[in-house]
């Protein structure tokens, strides 16, 4: 009852003001974003590089993630491991992550330690000192990471194959961690070349969120980051595009470790684009309507409750992407139901969804849930820093981020039906079956 009351209050609340965001550009091209949140004396300091695995040279897959690991080695003033040890000694935490479109490094720490974080982070932007021993050691670490996350998981290996089939020309078809045979060959020169070209201020965004004043952040940024030279040879960020897909692609992935057969289908879908986020917003609703809650979604109701065809259904959309992204469906059939039968039932449920009107009450409920999630997200300062950093490295602007909640609220049933009809085309899909034996693939 309390949760229902809370959602009801949110539904009728006046839209909240956007968070206080101030932006600057340093003379060397580095962008600075300051998000004020004075509720606690804490700050999140993040540096986002506008380079990810999709920007890697052909034949050197995994080098972006490999370099992320290597940045915790020595610089001209820090010993290997000293960066994280210093953060911890000052009561903070730090880490890094790599995606297709970006690589980011962050620290969460007391606000009065911000200058120390800038001093250390700016140092490793331009003064990394890695050796052949570092390469050997860290290459083994990332290979073991691949073994644990991918090679040991039938589902992860299947997803990797499905994505490679989805993107046949774009680098989104190459795993972020890299293909194992290419990871094994990554060299010191590969890492240094990638670092020297892309780890530069004119390819980076500094995001500082928390108990800070914008002018203070600007002064510190100019002192520590503003003195780093521009990379004159930074290439324009152009990726190869996918050619038109004219026929469905199908894969059967067989692995004896599969305990539950399932089917997966993904379609190329538009990402959130600056000034044009409506289609992406409609796809957020489409994912919920088709495969969100099993109690209210089209696949859940038809396959899990009405016919007991499936034990699990899901739909997902990842709009955060620099280039075209995907919209995906997953169905795990019930015992005694073949994958062919489950797929036919899934297609029938999709056809019924396309043919019938969307329940207005369900739409109101989804709008309320999305509004609530956007409001609750403001309570997480690190989450806010990530939201802006991710968006800005993927071609969006601060205004796009702040417009997004209202764009979500303005989505209509007609817009959802239009984008569904546009992307749910099997001739432009990859359908995969994941089974333990070939006999199950029927």
């Amino acid at each position: 009852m309390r949760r229902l009351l809370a959602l009801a209050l949110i539904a009728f609340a006046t839209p909240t003001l956007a968070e206080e965001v101030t932006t600057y550009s340093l003379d060397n091209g580095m962008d600075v974003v300051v998000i004020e949140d004075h509720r606690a004396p804490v700050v999140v300091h993040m540096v986002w590089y506008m380079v990810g695995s999709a920007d890697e040279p052909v034949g050197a897959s995994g080098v972006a993630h490999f370099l992320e690991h290597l940045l915790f080695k020595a610089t001209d003033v820090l010993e290997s491991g000293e960066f994280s040890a210093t953060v911890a000694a000052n009561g903070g935490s730090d880490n890094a992550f790599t995606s297709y479109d970006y690589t980011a490094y962050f620290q969460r720490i007391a606000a009065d330690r911000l200058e120390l974080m800038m001093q250390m982070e700016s140092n490793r932007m331009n003064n990394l000192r890695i050796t052949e021993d570092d390469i050997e050691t860290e290459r083994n670490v990332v290979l073991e990471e691949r073994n644990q996350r991918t090679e040991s998981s039938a589902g992860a290996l299947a997803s990797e194959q499905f994505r490679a089939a989805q993107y046949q020309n774009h680098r989104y078809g190459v795993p972020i961690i890299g293909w194992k045979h290419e990871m094994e060959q990554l060299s010191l020169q590969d890492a240094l070349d990638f670092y020297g070209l892309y780890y530069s201020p004119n390819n980076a965004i500094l995001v500082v969120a928390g108990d800070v004043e914008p002018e203070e952040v600007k002064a510190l940024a100019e002192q520590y980051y503003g003195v780093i030279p521009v990379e004159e040879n930074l290439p324009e960020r152009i990726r190869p595009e996918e050619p038109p897909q004219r026929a469905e692609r199908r894969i059967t992935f067989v692995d004896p470790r599969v305990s539950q057969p399932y089917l997966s289908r993904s379609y190329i879908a538009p990402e959130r684009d600056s000034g044009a986020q409506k289609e992406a917003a409609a796809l957020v609703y489409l994912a919920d309507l088709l495969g969100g809650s099993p109690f209210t979604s089209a696949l859940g109701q038809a396959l899990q409750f009405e016919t007991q065809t499936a034990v699990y259904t899901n739909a997902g959309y990842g709009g955060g992407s620099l280039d075209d992204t995907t919209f995906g469906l997953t169905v795990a059939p019930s015992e005694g139901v073949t994958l062919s039968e489950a797929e036919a039932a899934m297609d029938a449920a999709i056809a019924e969804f396309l043919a019938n009107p969307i329940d207005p009450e369900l739409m109101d409920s989804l709008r309320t849930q999305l509004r609530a999630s956007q409001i609750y997200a403001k309570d997480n300062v690190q989450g806010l820093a990530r939201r802006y950093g991710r968006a800005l490295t993927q071609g969006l602007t601060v205004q796009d981020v702040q417009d997004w909640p209202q764009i979500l609220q303005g989505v209509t049933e007609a817009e959802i039906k239009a984008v569904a009809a546009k992307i749910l085309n099997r001739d432009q899909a990859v359908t995969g079956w994941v089974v333990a034996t070939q006999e199950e693939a029927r």
Side-chain angles (χ1 to χ4, degrees):
M1 181 61 71
R2 286 183 189 143
R3 176 170 172 77
L4 290 174
L5 179 59
L7 289 174
L9 289 172
I10 289 169
F12 291 104
T14 301
T16 58
L17 294 174
E19 47 274 353
E20 291 289 330
V21 178
T22 305
T23 61
Y24 305 104
S25 289
L26 305 184
D27 289 343
N28 59 9
M30 188 174 188
D31 291 327
V32 181
V33 178
V34 184
I35 307 165
E36 293 182 69
D37 185 334
H38 300 288
R39 293 174 299 169
V42 175
V43 67
V44 174
H45 172 264
M46 306 188 80
V47 172
W48 296 73
Y49 292 97
M50 291 180 283
V51 63
S53 65
D55 302 293
E56 295 166 340
V58 174
S61 65
V63 69
H65 174 251
F66 185 40
L67 184 58
E68 175 213 309
H69 280 244
L70 291 168
L71 246 71
F72 291 88
K73 300 297 184 181
T75 71
D76 59 348
V77 298
L78 295 170
E79 297 296 329
S80 182
E82 186 178 355
F83 190 109
S84 293
T86 302
V87 175
N90 282 271
S93 59
D94 75 316
N95 214 325
F97 46 88
T98 304
S99 183
Y100 292 105
D101 299 320
Y102 52 75
T103 310
Y105 302 81
F106 69 91
Q107 303 86 40
R108 185 178 187 274
I109 202 160
D112 62 0
R113 301 296 195 275
L114 175 60
E115 182 173 3
L116 176 61
M117 298 303 103
M118 283 205 193
Q119 182 181 10
M120 293 196 299
E121 192 68 79
S122 63
N123 175 249
R124 68 176 174 180
M125 179 183 283
N126 210 33
N127 297 291
L128 189 63
R129 299 290 181 264
I130 49 178
T131 66
E132 288 287 1
D133 287 343
D134 292 330
I135 296 298
E136 185 71 23
T137 300
E138 215 57 39
R139 188 169 52 214
N140 289 334
V141 170
V142 295
L143 283 166
E144 181 56 29
E145 185 178 337
R146 180 180 167 89
N147 286 337
Q148 292 180 1
R149 294 186 178 183
T150 307
E151 302 293 339
S152 64
S153 168
L157 286 171
S159 295
E160 196 173 74
Q161 293 301 306
F162 298 161
R163 193 170 183 93
Q166 185 93 71
Y167 292 99
Q168 297 190 339
N169 197 46
H170 195 286
R171 295 286 288 179
Y172 284 170
V174 178
I176 294 170
I177 199 168
W179 296 118
K180 187 173 183 178
H181 67 286
E182 293 184 351
M183 295 168 65
E184 292 170 340
Q185 304 302 316
L186 291 174
S187 67
L188 175 61
Q189 197 59 52
D190 290 330
L192 290 175
D193 288 347
F194 202 77
Y195 174 71
L197 187 59
Y198 291 110
Y199 278 56
S200 52
N202 48 320
N203 196 44
I205 300 168
L206 170 65
V207 179
V208 178
D211 188 21
V212 292
E213 297 296 336
E215 289 302 318
E216 172 199 3
V217 174
K218 181 183 179 183
L220 290 172
E222 288 176 337
Q223 179 181 352
Y224 291 106
Y225 293 105
V227 297
I228 301 174
V230 169
E231 173 52 61
E232 300 288 355
N233 297 316
L234 184 68
E236 189 176 354
R237 202 174 194 191
I238 299 175
R239 276 101 168 255
E241 294 184 13
E242 281 295 302
Q245 183 180 340
R246 305 186 188 282
E248 183 180 12
R249 299 166 190 160
R250 299 189 66 90
I251 295 176
T252 299
F253 185 87
V254 182
D255 190 307
R257 296 172 295 179
V258 174
S259 58
Q260 167 66 58
Y262 65 92
L263 70 92
S264 169
R265 183 183 295 157
S266 61
Y267 309 82
I268 291 289
E271 75 283 7
R272 287 171 62 187
D273 284 326
S274 184
Q277 302 184 82
K278 279 234 166 189
E279 275 195 327
L283 284 165
V284 171
Y285 282 91
L286 181 62
D288 265 327
L289 290 165
L290 280 181
S293 167
F295 300 103
T296 58
S297 66
L299 294 180
Q301 288 183 321
L303 275 65
Q304 293 181 252
F305 289 101
E306 293 174 10
T307 64
Q308 288 81 53
T309 300
V311 294
Y312 174 80
T313 59
N314 181 255
Y317 168 67
S321 181
L322 183 62
D323 300 315
D324 282 347
T325 184
T326 59
F327 184 94
L329 306 170
T330 305
V331 173
S334 301
E335 187 174 356
V337 177
T338 67
L339 286 170
S340 295
E341 292 167 339
E343 186 174 343
M346 179 182 78
D347 285 329
I350 293 171
E352 184 175 356
F353 171 83
L354 291 172
N356 293 316
I358 297 171
D359 182 355
E361 289 188 7
L362 179 55
M363 278 296 296
D364 286 342
S365 175
L366 292 177
R367 287 192 185 98
T368 300
Q369 291 172 36
L370 285 168
R371 184 183 294 118
S373 68
Q374 294 288 324
I375 292 173
Y376 295 149
K378 293 177 180 293
D379 202 38
N380 183 340
V381 67
Q382 186 163 320
L384 284 175
R386 286 188 180 226
R387 178 187 297 181
Y388 280 91
R390 184 169 55 243
L392 294 171
T393 56
Q394 294 177 327
L396 300 176
T397 66
V398 168
Q399 191 61 54
D400 291 324
V401 176
Q402 298 192 338
D403 288 345
W404 181 242
Q406 285 303 109
I407 290 173
L408 283 172
Q409 291 303 305
V411 170
T412 66
E413 289 89 334
E415 288 168 337
I416 296 169
K417 283 299 185 74
V419 77
K422 175 181 175 179
I423 72 157
L424 297 178
N425 179 351
R426 286 186 58 169
D427 285 340
Q428 299 174 9
V430 173
T431 302
W433 289 3
V434 181
V435 292
T437 66
Q438 192 65 51
E439 289 70 30
E440 291 179 313
R442 57 189 178 87

